[in-house]
Amino acid sequence: MSHGSTRSNPPNVDESTLSLFDKAESLKEAVANILETTIWPGKSAVVAEDFLKAIKNTQDLRSFPEPTATSSSDLYNDGQQVIKVLEDVRGRLTGASLKYGARKEGFSGSIKEAISWGATRSSRILQSCREDVENAWTPLY
């Protein structure tokens, strides 16, 4: 369940200037953007939609007190892990989107949609990414 601020960072935000939890939320929004703006082939569209719902339902980390690197809190380490996972997932989804999907902007039909192995492979990637995100968030609940 999402709590806290609903502000969003522009897609081209310099993440190095963000606080730990703002960076995590910015990455979460980037992942959601990839899921929303890609036309996923075949049945992987359902997997992408389920992943999008799951990521939108993760708790907004900005609802937690912001930890620092010098704090002894596990919250900082858990936040760092979430960032690592989201960076990895963003990269994997970008690759899968380029390889198997089509961009929604100005696109009319896709040969890629007709290729069933692409749907199977992209479904596996999407499911794996979702599991990684859910596992990264688990310690925070």
Side-chain angles (χ1 to χ4, degrees), residues 1-2 21 23-29 31 51 54-64 75 78-79 81-83 85-86 89 129-141:
M1 175 168 30
S2 181
F21 288 162
K23 183 174 182 179
E25 288 302 316
S26 177
L27 286 164
K28 188 170 85 169
E29 290 167 9
V31 167
F51 184 13
I55 201 153
K56 285 184 173 185
N57 286 328
T58 57
Q59 186 164 2
D60 187 330
L61 296 180
R62 295 171 293 205
S63 66
F64 291 105
L75 191 55
D78 293 341
Q81 182 60 28
V82 165
I83 288 169
V85 168
L86 287 172
V89 164
C129 288
R130 178 182 175 172
E131 290 169 3
D132 290 349
V133 169
E134 288 173 342
N135 289 337
W137 243 269
T138 298
L140 298 170
Y141 287 109

Side-chain angles (χ1 to χ4, degrees), residues 20-21 67 71-81 139-140:
L20 178 72
F21 288 162
S71 68
S72 60
S73 171
D74 288 335
L75 191 55
Y76 181 80
N77 294 331
D78 293 341
Q80 288 287 11
Q81 182 60 28
L140 298 170

